[in-house]
Structure formats: C-alpha cells, structure tokens
Amino acid sequence: MPDVLMDRVLAVYREVDLNHDGFLDKEELCAMLDAVGMSKDKASALFEAADQDGSGTIDFEEFCTWLFSDAKSVMNTSVKKGELVTKDLSMDVQVGDIVCYGIPESPACTGYSYEITAKEEGIFETIFDEKLKVEAEGSGFQVYKFKALKDGKVEFKALQKFTSKDGESAEEQYDFTINVEALPEGEKPKPDWFAWSWSEVKWVKAPANKADKFKKKMGEDGTALGWVPEIYQPKNKKVHVQPTYCFSPMPIPA
C-alpha cells in the first residue's frame, strides 16, 4: 500500500475510533458506514466479516485486511476527504460541470460493447461517447462525457461486455454516484480540469492540454488516465466554461 494511502487510512481509522482505545467496535464501524449511505444490516454483516478473530472489535490489521484483501469482493473501498466511500467513486459537482469517465480496454480482449444507465433521468446529458486509442500507452478506452443540467443525485451503472483472450464471453460492471449541487448565486466557475488520483485519493488539478505535463503531474495514475489529454478542448468552447472532472475505475489492489 502506498505510504500516502496508508497514512490516510490510519487517519480515518483513528477518526472512527471514537473512544480512542485503538479498536473499532460494531457501533463505531456501522456509524462510519451509515454516514456513506450503507444500510445497517449490510454494515453489520461487513463488521462480522472484518472481525476475523470474533473478538467483537476490529484492530488496525483486521481493518486493513478487510479494506484491501478478499473483502473487496463484498465492498471495494477507497478513501476520500477523510471518509470511506465505495470503491466506485462518489463525487460532488455543480450544475453545469462536466464529468468524464474513461473505461480501459485490454488489447488482449476483443468485441467490447457497453450499456450505461442512470437511475435518475434528466440530471445529466451525454455529450461525448467514443472509443479512444492512446498510442503512447498502447491502450484503448471507452470515454463518456456528461454535463450536469440540474441538481440531484445520480447513480450510474456501466456494463462492459467483451470476449476474453481465451475466447470466452465476459463482463465487468462499474458503478459511480454523482451528487449535483446548484451553483451558488454570484459565483463564477473556473474552467479548470481535475483528474481523480486513486493512489493519492484526491482530485488533482491537471494540465490536460499537454499530455507530457499531464502524465508527469498524475504520477503513477498517468497511464490509466492517458485518455484525458485526448479529449481536451479549448476553453473558449462553450462546453468547457465550467470545471471538468475526469476519472477511471479504481485498480483493484494486488
């Protein structure tokens, strides 16, 4: 685990440990999961899965094991703004903002197709939906670009279907949630570009207009986000007078 991520996880662990005894009990963990919208029943089940020794509390080692090992099949997680959120990013934007989502395609697989749905209609419009080939990386991406039309909360599901290198039919599903807030009266948005860094678990203001500078700025996330400079458009185009947020699915920890 990267040192930056370890430090952030430890900070979250200490914040959730309300009585500062060095352990998390069920009430403390469930309160944290409730804060990010998880039902009490599911939170309770996850606590039981994390409490490997059945002691009724979770120590930091168990917490990390639950967070980054086989428990990812139940709930993949990352850290954002000092809170735990689901693996597939939950983010906040404002009306008029642009959201770009790039799904990687392995060159070893073929026949990619997509179904992307939004649980709530009318909050976003799709303004870009194309496959991109990033020559420098030898990688392909399916990129979607959305514009927020009004305030509300949208749960997206992106189903990726393909033929594996073994000739078998396969699929992956990626979920992400976007909360849209109204632009405060009198506030003027800036046409900045931001990219989500899973290694540093934060949004990074990135120079999307220059591929080499963008990759250097994004560090180890640069390859997975190599598609971002490919979709950059000049600031004088109407679609990008607002902030633009770019992200890809989180790589699963090895």
Side-chain angles (χ1 to χ4, degrees), residues 67-68 72 76-77 250-254:
L67 195 58
F68 293 108
K72 64 178 180 284
N76 286 301
T77 56
M250 180 182 75
I252 301 299

Side-chain angles (χ1 to χ4, degrees), residues 99-120:
V99 176
C100 304
Y101 186 54
I103 306 174
E105 296 182 350
S106 170
C109 301
T110 59
Y112 281 97
S113 64
Y114 296 85
E115 297 174 12
I116 187 162
T117 57
K119 189 175 181 180
E120 299 75 13

Side-chain angles (χ1 to χ4, degrees), residues 14-25 28:
R14 288 171 174 168
E15 183 178 346
V16 176
D17 180 18
L18 299 178
N19 62 4
H20 308 294
D21 65 353
F23 299 88
L24 302 184
D25 59 28
E28 289 170 331

Side-chain angles (χ1 to χ4, degrees), residues 127-174:
I127 57 177
F128 185 92
D129 174 4
E130 293 185 18
K131 291 183 183 295
L132 295 178
K133 178 73 172 181
V134 183
E135 298 296 341
E137 309 296 344
S139 304
F141 296 87
Q142 175 70 29
V143 179
Y144 293 92
K145 187 185 293 184
F146 309 99
K147 183 175 183 178
L149 301 178
K150 62 181 182 180
D151 60 340
K153 179 180 179 180
V154 182
E155 296 178 5
F156 284 93
K157 292 185 180 297
L159 181 63
Q160 179 190 59
K161 297 181 179 180
F162 56 94
T163 301
S164 71
K165 62 181 180 180
D166 298 322
E168 301 291 331
S169 296
E171 63 181 44
E172 293 282 354
Q173 179 170 302
Y174 306 101

Side-chain angles (χ1 to χ4, degrees), residues 11-82:
V12 172
Y13 181 87
R14 288 171 174 168
E15 183 178 346
V16 176
D17 180 18
L18 299 178
N19 62 4
H20 308 294
D21 65 353
F23 299 88
L24 302 184
D25 59 28
K26 179 180 287 189
E27 182 177 351
E28 289 170 331
L29 185 64
C30 288
M32 175 192 70
L33 297 175
D34 178 69
V36 296
M38 181 174 290
S39 69
K40 291 182 179 179
D41 288 343
K42 187 172 183 180
S44 180
L46 285 173
F47 178 87
E48 299 299 333
D51 183 18
Q52 298 180 343
D53 61 4
S55 65
T57 59
I58 300 172
D59 61 23
F60 186 66
E61 182 177 353
E62 288 177 320
F63 183 76
C64 290
T65 299
W66 166 70
L67 195 58
F68 293 108
S69 69
D70 290 342
K72 64 178 180 284
S73 63
V74 180
M75 178 185 176
N76 286 301
T77 56
S78 184
V79 182
K80 172 175 175 279
K81 295 181 180 178

Side-chain angles (χ1 to χ4, degrees), residues 197 199-200 213-224:
S197 168
S199 62
E200 297 187 20
K213 290 185 177 180
F214 176 84
K215 187 172 183 179
K216 182 177 181 180
K217 179 76 172 183
M218 296 308 301
E220 63 184 89
D221 297 287
T223 299

